[in-house]
Amino acid sequence: MSEPVETVWFVWVPSDQGALAHATIKGAGWLLREVQPLNEGGRVGFPLTHSLSATERAAIADEGVTVLASDQRTVERRPAVDPHRRLARAVDEWFQHHLQRPAPHDLQRPSKWERLGELVLVPEGSFTGRAWDDAHRHERAGELWANVAEALGGRSLAVQAPIASDNFRSPQVTLLHGSTQADFMDHGIAYRFDAARVMWSSGNVTERRRIGQLDLSGETVVDAYAGVGYYTLPMLVHGHAAHVHACEWNPASVAGLRTSAGLNNVEERLTVHQGDNAEAMAGLTGQADRVHLGLLPSSEAAWEAAVRCLRDGGGWLHVHMNVEEERIEAWAERTVDQLNGLAIKHGRPFRFTAEHLERVKWFAPRVRHVVLDACARPQIDSIPR
Ligand SMILES: C[S@@+](CC[C@H](N)C(=O)[O-])C[C@H]1O[C@@H](n2cnc3c(N)ncnc32)[C@H](O)[C@@H]1O
């Protein structure tokens, strides 16, 4: 995307008066921000919004600035700082250049997007509607998508679809330009995976940070729904967990998890159990200090196995669930009762209490993604005397 060239008025002052002149011109509202000042042999030229009148020149001189000259130059505008403006400009330029007309007035441009490294993901439905039809059909559409990606700070562009209701929660992503490979840093952790085949939820950022802030030194953790590791990796890298058993049945997520674990040098403290977590967790009975249950809309299918995974000395469960706003407290109470019922059923020597309820994000109107931190403590009656 090239920046527009235009003819602009400059006022020239001695370089050693540059700071004072800048403050004066900017303070008066005459500085053209989109154009870079020029330096030429001991003098500096400030771009102006208009040609200065004699009175305006005198006002600058009154501030102690020597006005050497004022002239017109043909210059490039600076790229717009606001990505919405860069996006609008990229689209307008493409329409003008390839369709010889301005972009239609009813053209809907995405107003939000997320970036996974160089991959820009725009929401479902972006670039649709009749106003976009000519662009999609055009043989040079590739250039448009490349320019849009660049305007939004990336190199690749894909349109998201709602998370699939298949067992893998695989996203359906339509690639418009580049590659679906996501390669990025998030809170000091490196991730690399194929965004077309695995799910990443940027909305869980606060929860990823919260889980990473727990001190897990010496702990063995089971992540029942590990995905590409957005809880597993913070627990290993920032929480210093002694070991994480990560259960995941989507081969594409497992590939991303293994690659990302390598990038963060934590492979030795990670065991990936590829397949149904029911099988892996059955083999981890009595070994965990903590079980992470990060599946939406509900992780209930793994609660029983999680209760069995905890050591006799107890530990923690992080139970994710989508719950209607007005039922959250009641849900937490019922969940603790249910977990205690499972502990009794399996003769576990501990009982659960609700220690914290985290409201992560809105999932739908009136429905929140919440996480219950349930602590299992040894039952006094069951400790042998
Ligand atoms: C909400 S995503 C987890 C997100 C994850 N924290 C991440 O970093 O991507 C849920 C994950 O659980 C996996 N999953 C769902 N049911 C499973 C099961 N019974 N056994 C193993 N993995 C399962 C899905 O494939 C998906 O990757």
Side-chain angles (χ1 to χ4, degrees), residues 167-169 199-200 223-231 247-250 253 275-278 294-296:
N167 284 335
F168 295 164
R169 288 172 65 80
M199 172 248 159
W200 171 272
D223 188 351
Y225 300 99
V228 291
Y230 64 53
Y231 298 115
C247 309
E248 176 54 53
W249 63 13
N250 178 356
S253 299
D276 192 336
N277 58 21
L295 184 67
L296 295 177

Side-chain angles (χ1 to χ4, degrees), residues 320-354:
H320 290 236
M321 189 77 142
N322 282 344
V323 189
E324 281 175 36
E325 175 71 355
E326 56 273 25
R327 305 222 171 114
I328 291 177
E329 304 296 334
W331 168 79
E333 269 176 43
R334 212 179 48 244
T335 300
V336 168
D337 289 348
Q338 221 168 313
L339 294 173
N340 280 327
L342 292 168
I344 292 165
K345 176 178 167 190
H346 292 286
R348 306 314 318 275
F350 47 68
R351 292 295 174 265
F352 289 93
T353 50

Side-chain angles (χ1 to χ4, degrees), residues 68-322:
L68 300 172
S70 183
D71 60 16
Q72 280 185 299
R73 302 288 176 102
T74 302
V75 287
E76 275 191 0
R77 276 181 181 256
R78 280 194 253 232
V81 180
D82 175 6
H84 297 271
R85 284 178 57 192
R86 286 204 305 263
L87 170 62
R89 189 186 292 173
V91 172
D92 289 345
E93 279 185 9
W94 185 90
F95 267 80
Q96 211 45 272
H97 193 244
H98 292 292
L99 295 173
Q100 286 76 48
R101 57 178 160 85
H105 291 299
D106 56 345
L107 193 80
Q108 301 281 327
R109 299 179 187 89
S111 58
K112 55 181 187 177
W113 51 85
E114 69 179 294
R115 262 181 49 201
L116 300 179
E118 306 221 304
L119 172 62
V120 179
L121 292 168
V122 291
E124 183 201 7
S126 298
F127 309 121
T128 55
R130 285 198 23 222
W132 283 103
D133 284 353
D134 288 344
H136 281 285
R137 276 195 295 263
H138 199 279
E139 58 176 347
R140 307 299 285 273
E143 271 175 37
L144 170 62
W145 309 131
N147 291 351
V148 167
E150 192 192 330
L152 301 182
R155 282 171 188 264
S156 297
L157 180 69
V159 183
Q160 277 181 329
I163 291 165
S165 53
D166 62 10
N167 284 335
F168 295 164
R169 288 172 65 80
S170 325
Q172 294 143 355
V173 164
T174 308
L175 184 66
L176 292 176
H177 176 74
S179 140
T180 55
Q181 176 87 347
D183 203 336
F184 61 101
M185 296 292 293
D186 180 72
H187 292 98
I189 296 172
Y191 293 89
R192 187 178 294 163
F193 55 85
D194 182 353
R197 299 173 63 215
V198 307
M199 172 248 159
W200 171 272
S201 174
S202 295
N204 296 347
V205 56
T206 51
E207 186 59 7
R208 288 201 293 282
R209 200 176 310 150
R210 188 179 79 92
I211 290 296
Q213 280 166 351
L214 301 173
D215 179 6
L216 311 182
S217 315
E219 288 196 13
T220 297
V221 182
V222 174
D223 188 351
Y225 300 99
V228 291
Y230 64 53
Y231 298 115
T232 288
L233 295 172
M235 290 193 285
L236 285 164
V237 175
H238 298 312
H240 307 291
H243 204 92
V244 175
H245 291 275
C247 309
E248 176 54 53
W249 63 13
N250 178 356
S253 299
V254 167
L257 174 57
R258 289 192 201 281
T259 306
S260 304
L263 295 174
N264 294 286
N265 294 315
V266 293
E267 310 104 296
E268 285 177 7
R269 291 184 286 129
L270 173 67
T271 304
V272 180
H273 301 266
Q274 182 167 350
D276 192 336
N277 58 21
E279 226 168 275
M281 289 168 85
L284 294 167
T285 300
Q287 294 185 34
D289 298 290
R290 188 178 297 267
V291 182
H292 197 273
L293 294 155
L295 184 67
L296 295 177
S298 165
S299 59
E300 193 170 345
W303 292 0
E304 187 155 1
V307 170
R308 300 183 72 188
C309 278
L310 289 180
R311 292 185 199 280
D312 285 353
W316 291 85
L317 300 185
H318 301 287
V319 185
H320 290 236
M321 189 77 142
N322 282 344

